[in-house]
Amino acid sequence: MLNQIKYISLLLAGSFTFASCEKVIEVKLDNAESQVVIEGNITDQAGQQLVKITKSVPYTATNTYPPVSGAVVTVTDDNGHSWTFSETTAGRYTFPAMKGETGRIYTLKARINNVVYTASSVMPAPVGIDFLDVKVFNFGGDDQKQAQVHYKDPAGIANQYRFVMKVNGIQSKQVYAENDRLTDGNEVPSVLFFTGNNNDQDQLKTGDVVDIEMQSIDKNVFLYWYTLSQQSSNGPAGGATPGNPPSNIDNKALGYFSAHTVSQKQMTVK
């Protein structure tokens, strides 16, 4: 298991919706020397694709994550295509016009100070959101509103999903991910319990605008988010992950490289 460090994760963080049979992964809480952190995403949406590279900091340090400049970043697929990413701002490498394809294997290569880091990810078939609604729970006589995503899981195929939720334009601190171990081929209603940036905000309110992105992800990327979901304090607001999730990037880099499809819907809470 990787040594403990603290680093930014552009994805999000918090807790997870996942199959109850998943094994709990224990992570050591040790400080470690600075390591390369790569966060790469290739989607099936035409447009700019992003790879972000930073350096980790010790768990006890402040949340300042130095960007890594001067890297040579390329992405290739198993059909002979290649894309060279440009550093648009410090530590952010982009390609302006690219669209991933289902079934393709994408390989990231980042050369940093003569050290090469690689990772591969398969883009799954897309699974879309059918609709969103609000699920009302009653706790101690009080009604609590939570977002619910409805989708149809394809039968006979192992599927993994990640959800990103924004409320009034602000991303939830939670990490939401699940697989179809218990729901293969079913119509799935998945509740995304909300955690706002304020500790006292744990439900939706009438008039809130909710945006949800559903990502179809491969197994290795799912394992990354599954592990991250078990940490108690992580995400774009809290920033730190108490333990390092298993990365699909080699050479002891932290982070992930994900080729995934995207489905998005919006609703206003009534």
Side-chain angles (χ1 to χ4, degrees):
M1 187 62 67
L2 291 173
N3 287 333
Q4 158 61 29
I5 57 114
K6 182 181 183 179
Y7 66 88
I8 259 186
S9 210
L10 78 72
L11 297 191
L12 335 177
S15 102
F16 219 132
T17 307
F18 55 84
S20 60
C21 295
E22 291 294 340
K23 178 182 178 182
V24 173
I25 300 175
E26 295 182 357
V27 184
K28 293 183 180 180
L29 297 179
D30 301 320
N31 283 323
E33 294 183 359
S34 181
Q35 292 173 263
V36 169
V37 182
I38 299 175
E39 300 165 287
N41 293 278
I42 302 297
T43 78
D44 65 338
Q45 305 298 297
Q48 179 176 279
Q49 310 293 340
L50 172 67
V51 175
K52 181 180 176 183
I53 307 178
T54 58
K55 295 286 282 187
S56 68
V57 295
Y59 181 62
T60 54
T62 58
N63 291 351
T64 301
Y65 309 92
V68 174
S69 291
V72 178
V73 177
T74 59
V75 173
T76 58
D77 69 9
D78 58 343
N79 200 31
H81 298 111
S82 180
W83 300 266
T84 300
F85 283 50
S86 299
E87 188 173 9
T88 49
T89 59
R92 295 173 65 89
Y93 300 83
T94 63
F95 193 89
M98 177 183 176
K99 180 180 179 180
E101 297 180 15
T102 294
R104 292 290 177 208
I105 302 172
Y106 290 90
T107 300
L108 169 72
K109 180 181 291 186
R111 181 181 294 274
I112 304 167
N113 296 327
N114 295 321
V115 178
V116 177
Y117 303 89
T118 62
S120 294
S121 181
V122 180
M123 183 171 289
V127 177
I129 299 172
D130 291 329
F131 64 94
L132 307 177
D133 63 9
V134 174
K135 178 79 170 180
V136 180
F137 296 87
N138 188 276
F139 295 105
D142 295 326
D143 288 339
Q144 185 181 92
K145 297 179 179 180
Q146 301 290 350
Q148 185 168 236
V149 181
H150 296 259
Y151 64 93
K152 176 68 166 68
D153 180 81
I157 303 172
N159 293 282
Q160 299 84 209
Y161 310 106
R162 176 188 174 224
F163 301 92
V164 179
M165 180 166 66
K166 293 182 179 179
V167 178
N168 301 322
I170 300 174
Q171 189 169 299
S172 172
K173 294 191 299 182
Q174 300 282 97
V175 166
Y176 309 95
E178 57 193 39
N179 62 22
D180 65 350
R181 177 174 294 185
L182 302 178
T183 58
D184 181 57
N186 294 346
E187 300 280 350
V188 181
S190 183
V191 177
L192 307 184
F193 286 94
F194 177 57
T195 298
N197 291 323
N198 298 319
N199 293 332
D200 59 345
Q201 188 175 3
D202 58 1
Q203 64 177 305
L204 303 176
K205 304 185 299 297
T206 299
D208 282 343
V209 177
V210 178
D211 291 279
I212 293 178
E213 176 179 304
M214 178 179 183
Q215 301 175 359
S216 294
I217 57 179
D218 70 17
K219 185 174 294 185
N220 288 333
V221 175
F222 171 78
L223 181 60
Y224 174 89
W225 292 114
Y226 169 72
T227 308
L228 185 60
S229 76
Q230 298 176 71
Q231 311 307 318
S232 61
S233 176
N234 48 17
T241 156
N244 300 327
S247 175
N248 61 346
I249 306 170
D250 69 2
N251 238 339
K252 299 182 179 180
L254 303 175
Y256 65 92
F257 174 62
S258 176
H260 58 263
T261 64
V262 172
S263 175
Q264 297 172 315
K265 284 194 180 298
Q266 182 183 90
M267 71 173 176
T268 300
V269 178
K270 297 180 178 179

